[in-house]
Amino acid sequence: MNLQTTELLLLADGETAPEETKIPPRKPKWHDTFNYIANPDRFCSENFKKYGPIFKTGVFGGTTVFIGSANANKMAFNGDNKYTEIALPATTMEMFGEYSLFQRPDLHSQRKSALAPGLTGATLAGYIPHINNIIYQGIKTWGSQKIQLYPAVEKISFDILTPLLLGISLNDSDSTTFEGLPISSKAELKALYKTYFDGFYGLLKWQSPLTAYGRGITARKKLIEFMDAVIKRRLGEEENINPTQDFLSMMLVGQQENPDGIFIDILIKNQCLLQLWASHYEISGFVCSLIYQLGKYPQILQKLRQEQEQILGENNNISEFSPEHLKQMTFLEATIKETLRTLPPSSTASRRLTKSVVVDGMLYEKGWTLMAEPRIAHIMPEHFQEPEKFEPERFLPERNEGQIYKFIPFGGGVHGCLGAQMAMIISKIFASHLLRMFEWKIIGEPKFVQFPIKRIADNYQIEINSRV
């Protein structure tokens, strides 16, 4: 028996687990996939109450073990090339493409390290004026009215992310915007993205216009063609590209400096495609959840406004909004994290075991799939005091909840979300402007789109009124 740590045992093929070892409870059921897709929150909470934070299911075929405990999450997140491999539906893997971070675990660390500078540190700080301006210009048009929350936020999110990730602004009122591109409007590009997104969890890998997968693959090809045209335009227009200008620029400069390095053409196209897809849907859905939660808890809203006044005073000059301001917004950051805890957008890891593993006396057999679920981890009393309550204070230093592998909205370990820091900055700026510019009131309980990313339905409205 190979003792890797005090918590984890790897079993060789044919090796028997220790006598006291248990196996996860519950038997997989044929309808688990349908029940999970219909309502992941309900599926996770009901089984957690009955079986605890680790249990077997039949979700997506075979035996899929849902996990929520910190040690099990740590095991799932960090097993690449040792005892796990990626375990996503074949349709999903095809949508990600050969040169995504997911397709090559052996190259994951190298690729992620190369990509990270475009979404972190000084480069990310340099994006703040753009993020600030687009949010301010977008929400100041909301005025005093009822708005459909998700479409209003999604529009602003797309306008933020397209220039930051692709280095191109799409202005429908300017026909020159689309010259040389295989699309004619921003709406067409967004429609392609939606078709592509819908194909990720198509149930049949049948390339036909009759299937979500088939339509998604067609959309993917068109999006790659779009990225090819964008790159050719950028290279033709800019003699000296600034690597800190946007995510695409960082990769193009990396390619110029090392033509035989990691940034080959297809990886650049594929990564821009995926980064915009992931960031846009995750951030749009999450910001809506934050606005909704703040409407439910006016006492928290008041604390946030007090913090804003302490940091910014009466200043509404958006040109002075700085990274230092964002760092000081500790209660806002705690509120954002509490929203991610209570309304996590999605599961964060799906891994297939290539070896049998024992963690904390629980046996996970070779061939089983592991799914790390925030919807379980975030409701465990062992991880969070009174998890049923919405309490941002839990993330402040005094309480110090939300530790690694217990709080997993962005995954963890080597597969932590590449765009997590950018998502936090956009959310902070969005919330800061809203808090200073508007009062708002939620109207009833929203319906949520449940899968694959949880978000408020398009038709949900809030009532918003200007404070100035």
Side-chain angles (χ1 to χ4, degrees), residues 95-315:
M95 289 293 170
F96 276 125
E98 182 181 355
Y99 289 90
S100 74
L101 291 175
F102 296 94
Q103 290 280 25
R104 289 288 301 274
D106 56 321
L107 297 177
H108 180 277
S109 179
Q110 178 191 17
R111 288 176 174 176
K112 190 172 183 180
S113 295
L115 293 166
L119 296 170
T120 57
T123 299
L124 179 57
Y127 296 164
I128 289 176
H130 165 78
I131 296 170
N132 200 19
N133 182 57
I134 296 298
I135 291 174
Y136 177 75
Q137 296 299 330
I139 67 174
K140 76 176 185 180
T141 65
W142 288 3
S144 296
Q145 59 180 317
K146 289 181 180 178
I147 62 168
Q148 289 182 282
L149 182 57
Y150 183 80
V153 170
E154 183 270 340
K155 179 180 184 299
I156 295 171
S157 175
F158 196 81
D159 288 343
I160 293 169
L161 292 167
T162 308
L164 290 186
L165 298 176
L166 310 186
I168 183 170
S169 295
L170 299 177
N171 183 356
D172 284 328
S173 64
D174 181 0
S175 60
T176 62
T177 297
F178 302 96
E179 286 182 1
L181 301 180
I183 62 164
S184 58
S185 68
K186 189 191 305 183
E188 183 181 351
L189 180 62
K190 290 168 77 171
L192 278 174
Y193 260 99
K194 185 179 185 308
T195 303
Y196 171 60
F197 181 62
D198 290 345
F200 263 72
Y201 284 88
L203 296 178
L204 295 174
K205 194 176 177 181
W206 178 28
Q207 196 163 330
S208 164
L210 300 176
T211 65
Y213 166 77
R215 294 188 295 271
I217 284 292
T218 299
R220 188 183 193 286
K221 290 176 181 176
K222 291 180 179 178
L223 287 168
I224 291 291
E225 290 173 5
F226 166 75
M227 281 309 313
D228 186 54
V230 168
I231 290 169
K232 286 179 180 176
R233 175 195 279 190
R234 292 288 308 279
L235 293 174
E237 292 177 348
E238 301 173 56
E239 186 174 340
N240 296 306
I241 299 175
N242 176 3
T244 65
Q245 178 179 318
D246 53 69
F247 185 60
L248 174 58
S249 294
M250 181 274 296
M251 291 190 286
L252 291 176
V253 171
Q255 185 184 58
Q256 290 173 348
E257 293 176 347
N258 184 7
D260 298 321
I262 190 171
F263 292 120
I264 60 175
D265 287 347
I266 188 60
L267 183 137
I268 293 174
K269 298 174 198 174
N270 200 66
Q271 198 58 42
C272 281
L273 172 90
L274 291 172
Q275 206 63 52
L276 180 57
W277 161 77
S279 300
H280 178 51
Y281 284 102
E282 291 274 2
I283 291 172
S284 299
F286 167 63
V287 169
C288 290
S289 293
L290 177 63
I291 295 169
Y292 164 68
Q293 289 287 52
L294 294 183
K296 285 180 67 176
Y297 300 101
Q299 71 279 13
I300 293 172
L301 204 65
Q302 185 58 33
K303 286 185 180 180
L304 289 168
R305 288 210 169 101
Q306 290 172 357
E307 181 181 70
Q308 292 293 307
E309 289 173 7
Q310 289 171 1
I311 297 169
L312 302 169
E314 298 299 322
N315 182 16

Side-chain angles (χ1 to χ4, degrees), residues 14 26 50 67 82 104 164 187 207 233 268 288 320 336 339:
R26 192 180 182 276
K50 191 170 183 180
I67 56 176
K82 294 179 288 186
R104 289 288 301 274
L164 290 186
Q207 196 163 330
R233 175 195 279 190
I268 293 174
C288 290
E320 296 183 14
I336 290 170
T339 301

